[in-house]
Amino acid sequence: MQEILDCLAAAAAVSHDHGEPDKYVLPHLPYQVAADTLDRIRSDMPPPRRGAVFLMVLPAFELEALWEVLGVLRRARDADDAAAEVYDLVRDYAMRCFLPPRGIDEVVADLERILAVLLLDLPAVRMVATTLLLDGECDDAFRSARDELFAAWRAAGLSGIPGRGASS
């Protein structure tokens, strides 16, 4: 996903420099912020361990950029003429650069899953986050909340969640 967003940022910047600022719907900055956010999340993530939870706080502007990009990708998927260049770039990149090739529907679903994890707002999330932030004891209540969090991720269709033979 990050590579696609980097490409969209570069294409939007070049388009802007050539006098077509709306060719990729958004200016290059939201695409670049979204790509940089995904890169930071990926690089800051510790190696997966069964039953582990990683807590990361993101600034609102990074989440806003991810939402803006998701909106453009949805418009491209839905054949909005204003997003035709986005559709072409994402389709070509996803079909030629991924093994197995991916479609724009899968790219949109990937970003939706990323945002689902980042924005999951359940009492269990608040319990886990509070315990981790305060270096609290990982007691039975914590483990129960953590398991509820993992179950919510699995229900959202996220892979790599404990209970499916993988780590988080």
Side-chain angles (χ1 to χ4, degrees):
M1 178 55 75
Q2 177 202 340
E3 294 167 353
I4 289 172
L5 299 182
D6 279 330
C7 286
L8 282 168
V14 169
S15 176
H16 181 269
D17 290 347
H18 288 116
E20 297 179 275
D22 298 329
K23 187 173 182 177
Y24 289 90
V25 183
L26 296 172
H28 80 282
L29 190 57
Y31 293 118
Q32 194 60 60
V33 168
D36 291 347
T37 300
L38 296 181
D39 181 50
R40 187 169 57 81
I41 290 169
R42 189 183 52 162
S43 65
D44 288 353
M45 193 77 80
R49 290 188 347 251
R50 185 156 188 71
V53 175
F54 179 69
L55 178 66
M56 175 180 269
V57 178
L58 298 176
F61 77 91
E62 289 180 344
L63 290 173
E64 181 61 34
L66 288 166
W67 276 112
E68 286 182 84
V69 170
L70 176 60
V72 172
L73 291 173
R74 285 175 172 165
R75 288 175 61 183
R77 176 199 60 200
D78 297 341
D80 182 332
D81 289 340
E85 292 294 330
V86 172
Y87 176 83
D88 290 342
L89 188 149
V90 172
R91 182 199 62 216
D92 290 348
Y93 192 96
M95 291 302 288
R96 293 189 173 118
C97 297
F98 291 122
L99 289 174
R102 301 177 59 77
I104 193 161
D105 289 337
E106 294 166 302
V107 171
V108 169
D110 289 345
L111 189 51
E112 288 172 339
R113 279 192 286 279
I114 290 167
L115 280 162
V117 169
L118 294 175
L119 299 173
L120 194 57
D121 186 24
L122 302 169
V125 172
R126 290 186 289 279
M127 163 43 156
V128 168
T130 301
T131 301
L132 293 174
L133 287 170
L134 299 176
D135 289 325
E137 184 180 335
C138 295
D139 58 10
D140 287 339
F142 172 83
R143 283 186 285 284
S144 177
R146 183 198 60 198
D147 292 345
E148 184 180 329
L149 176 59
F150 292 160
W153 286 341
R154 283 191 302 275
L158 304 172
S159 61
I161 304 303
R164 289 199 170 170
S167 337
S168 70

